[in-house]
Amino acid sequence: MESLKGKNILVTGATSGIGRSLALKLSAAGANLAICGRSQQKMESLVKEISAGSAALIYSESFDLLDQQRIFSFVDNAHRTLGDFDILVNCAGANPAKGRIPEINVEDLEWMLKVKLVAPFLFMQEVYKRMRNLEQGMILNVMSTVCKFSNEDVASYTASKAGFDALAKVFRKEARAKGLRVCSIYPGGVDTPFRDIKKPEYLNSEEVADAIVMMLLQRPGASVDELVIRPMIEKNFS
């Protein structure tokens, strides 16, 4: 079994939901973290909690994913602080632009594509530049079961996630030649803070974070390329 102790791991969307649960689990396992999120207040709270329970190194910044220059500078600063990356987890997520296709305005669609496709692509690209000479490492992208099953009322979210999923699948083949693994996890319904109402019957962020950790702990000669995790109540599969 692989160990995460001493690994340098970058986690996006770390201030809430799955990202927060994952950051706490990784720090408890002894990993060094580069974490980012939108809320400065939530970030300060997370860093304080991590520092109280772990001696691992932490580098953090708070910014909006629409700011591409902040993505570039964050990855560069994190690399300078921690050294070469072992793992990237693209976890940042939001779904504010719900609605059927005739109701969607182009500004909301463009926003979703920038946040859910362009931003994680840039993280993947920038981290890869700081991994490829190592001939090892992993990029794990948190997708969604919308990539597997089309549902009404979430067209913008589905398009952005499915687009990034296709891009990541191509990159999986390209990166494997360099010894890097590009993996994806597809959670079904998750009861996270970005939902308007509580869904206790859905997965919780801890369950998804546990599944991610399991994927990260694979031996170097194997790769769990894709993992689907759904709540037991969910039936949106063939």
Side-chain angles (χ1 to χ4, degrees):
M1 179 69 74
E2 286 288 287
S3 171
L4 297 175
K5 186 174 183 179
K7 298 286 188 182
N8 295 333
I9 304 178
L10 190 155
V11 180
T12 73
T15 52
S16 64
I18 297 168
R20 190 178 196 281
S21 295
L22 180 62
L24 291 170
K25 289 180 184 295
L26 295 176
S27 65
N32 302 314
L33 296 180
I35 50 179
C36 64
R38 188 168 52 180
S39 169
Q40 179 64 33
Q41 183 178 8
K42 290 180 179 179
M43 180 63 75
E44 290 173 358
S45 173
L46 174 60
V47 170
K48 183 177 180 180
E49 186 170 350
I50 290 174
S51 300
S54 172
L57 296 174
I58 310 169
Y59 181 78
S60 66
E61 287 186 24
S62 301
F63 57 91
D64 193 316
L65 291 180
L66 292 177
D67 190 338
Q68 294 184 13
Q69 290 304 314
R70 289 297 303 271
I71 293 175
F72 299 144
S73 64
F74 169 69
V75 175
D76 190 53
N77 292 337
H79 182 249
R80 292 174 185 273
T81 302
L82 300 182
D84 291 328
F85 298 115
D86 297 293
I87 297 168
L88 162 67
V89 182
N90 259 321
C91 198
N95 185 17
K98 295 182 180 180
R100 292 178 177 265
I101 286 178
E103 304 164 357
I104 296 171
N105 64 63
V106 70
E107 291 81 9
D108 287 341
L109 177 59
E110 289 175 341
W111 184 93
M112 191 71 78
L113 291 171
K114 288 176 182 178
V115 170
K116 303 304 298 176
L117 195 162
V118 176
F121 158 74
L122 291 175
F123 274 109
M124 196 163 64
Q125 192 177 60
E126 291 299 303
V127 169
Y128 173 71
K129 293 175 184 177
R130 294 158 176 85
M131 278 184 170
R132 60 185 176 184
N133 292 329
L134 301 179
E135 296 187 353
Q136 60 182 343
M138 180 186 291
I139 294 172
L140 192 150
N141 298 304
V142 180
M143 300 295 184
S144 167
T145 51
V146 300
C147 299
K148 308 286 187 181
F149 189 94
S150 300
N151 288 319
E152 300 94 332
D153 302 321
V154 287
S156 295
Y157 182 74
T158 300
S160 60
K161 279 292 192 180
F164 184 56
D165 186 39
L167 187 150
K169 285 176 177 175
V170 172
F171 190 46
R172 179 176 299 147
K173 292 186 175 182
E174 296 175 350
R176 189 157 290 186
K178 292 284 188 179
L180 274 70
R181 290 173 284 181
V182 178
C183 306
S184 297
I185 186 169
Y186 302 83
V190 184
D191 188 23
T192 59
F194 79 76
R195 291 190 176 278
D196 296 332
I197 57 176
K198 294 287 291 180
K199 291 282 189 178
E201 69 274 21
Y202 280 5
L203 298 169
N204 61 54
S205 59
E206 294 279 321
E207 291 168 322
V208 181
D210 283 340
I212 292 172
V213 170
M214 180 275 291
M215 295 177 74
L216 300 182
L217 288 172
Q218 294 301 297
R219 293 178 183 273
S223 179
V224 179
D225 289 340
E226 298 184 356
L227 177 66
V228 179
I229 178 171
R230 292 184 175 93
M232 287 296 291
I233 66 158
E234 205 166 80
K235 298 179 181 179
N236 59 347
F237 55 90
S238 57

